[in-house]
Amino acid sequence: MTFRLLAALAALALGGAAHAQTTTLKIGYATSPESHYGVGSKVFCDEVEKNTQGRYKCQQFPNSALGGEREQIEAVQLGTQDLVNTSTGPVGNFVPEVKIVDIPFLFRDYDHARKVMDGPIGQDILAKFPSKGIIALAWTENGFRHMTNSKRDIVKPEDAKGLKMRTMENKVHMDGYRAFGILPTPMAFPELFGALQQGTVDGQENPIPVILAAKFSQVQKHLSLTGHVYSPALLLLSPKVWNKLSDADKKVFVEAAKKAGVAQRKKVNEDEANGVAMLKSQGMSVVENVDKPAFQAALKTAYEGYAKEFGADNIKKIQDVK
């Protein structure tokens, strides 16, 4: 065997070894690459690739390419998908302790919500995930949810009465919406645009960044800035991946997820600041002065149920965070 042939075989072997050392992770999310989820996911992927010297990199699957959020969480739990950047909407079906943050009108504003998620309460919830077969790397963000529909402006709960509204597969949300007279219709996000277009449902509720990214102004005329639920989000990792990581790499993944959360919140802030004007320019009728006290008053019975389910003291602890 000639020296040149030996050298070529050695180079091929080295190249194969280097190639084998790179692990490509699949990360999915519901919206476009330009959305807040896309921005957060890109930061996570860039940080992981940089700080593992290319040993780990990501392949992104935006626009629900891997299925609805619930399906993707199941896949992460099973180990057939590596990561998902998801709203908390369906997460309570896997980790019941998460449901408390989905209570309507629990959070005063973004500052309050973010302090809760970053503080002891939010961190304690993250610690509940491993026992359910999921690793929660960090909180990201979806935003305060607002109502859209094709029928009429919503100023007070009575205006929403009888509207068939798509909701997430989330009992806490649905109990609250029934208190407003809404007919909640749980549906996976990938089916939503078509359902609005065909009139299967009258409306939906989502944060401004999602309403923009999903182009709901094309199929919805009315937007009411109800801000009725703060919707956190999570970067979830499969234990199958986590258990193979060195301690140093685990630290890299967690730090990357935290930076993703910061970037995602920044994008939410930008969309909140500019999005309403953009949606108006796209033809939506926007109610900015919603009667929030009336919506909160309508939740009296629902809150009694929440207090029984989650503990009045636990709810108060969140409300009292300054």
Side-chain angles (χ1 to χ4, degrees), residues 156-283:
K156 51 192 185 300
E158 301 89 88
D159 301 328
K161 192 172 182 182
L163 288 176
K164 200 171 182 186
M165 192 86 73
R166 177 268 175 180
T167 65
M168 291 194 282
E169 298 161 277
N170 182 310
K171 184 180 179 296
V172 175
H173 285 187
M174 291 166 70
D175 287 347
Y177 302 155
R178 286 191 190 98
F180 304 146
I182 286 168
L183 305 174
T185 308
M187 183 184 294
F189 188 77
E191 301 165 33
L192 177 53
F193 190 93
L196 293 169
Q197 198 170 36
Q198 292 156 23
T200 310
V201 289
D202 301 313
Q204 62 86 49
E205 44 80 57
N206 257 304
I208 296 295
V210 175
I211 295 168
L212 283 167
K215 297 181 168 54
F216 286 145
S217 62
Q218 294 178 8
V219 287
Q220 297 277 269
K221 174 69 178 165
H222 304 277
L223 165 64
S224 294
L225 301 181
T226 46
H228 52 279
V229 168
Y230 171 70
S231 183
L234 288 153
L235 203 46
L236 303 179
L237 176 72
S238 170
K240 191 174 172 184
V241 176
W242 181 254
N243 293 336
K244 290 177 184 173
L245 297 177
S246 67
D247 288 345
D249 283 346
K250 284 178 180 176
K251 192 174 176 185
V252 166
F253 273 58
V254 170
E255 288 305 311
K258 287 178 181 174
K259 287 185 179 177
V262 170
Q264 200 154 320
R265 286 175 178 178
K266 182 171 179 284
K267 176 62 172 163
V268 168
N269 289 347
E270 290 166 3
D271 285 350
E272 287 277 357
N274 308 315
V276 172
M278 200 177 297
L279 292 167
K280 281 181 182 175
S281 75
Q282 292 167 4

Side-chain angles (χ1 to χ4, degrees), residues 145-157:
R145 305 179 77 85
H146 307 290
M147 296 182 191
T148 73
N149 77 95
S150 58
K151 303 285 188 185
R152 54 186 176 267
D153 286 342
I154 296 173
V155 180
K156 51 192 185 300

Side-chain angles (χ1 to χ4, degrees), residues 12 16 27 36 70 86 107 109 113 122-123 125 171 187 211 252 254 276 318:
L12 193 64
I27 180 168
H36 51 314
R70 183 169 181 154
T86 175
F107 298 98
D109 50 30
Q123 298 313 298
I125 295 172
K171 184 180 179 296
M187 183 184 294
I211 295 168
V252 166
V254 170
V276 172
I318 292 174

Side-chain angles (χ1 to χ4, degrees), residues 5 11 22 31 40 52 58 70 103 106 119 123-126 162 168 184 198-199 247 277 295 297 310:
L5 183 57
T22 298
T31 51
T52 63
C58 298
R70 183 169 181 154
I103 292 175
L106 180 64
Q123 298 313 298
D124 285 350
I125 295 172
L126 294 185
M168 291 194 282
Q198 292 156 23
D247 288 345
F295 276 95
F310 304 112

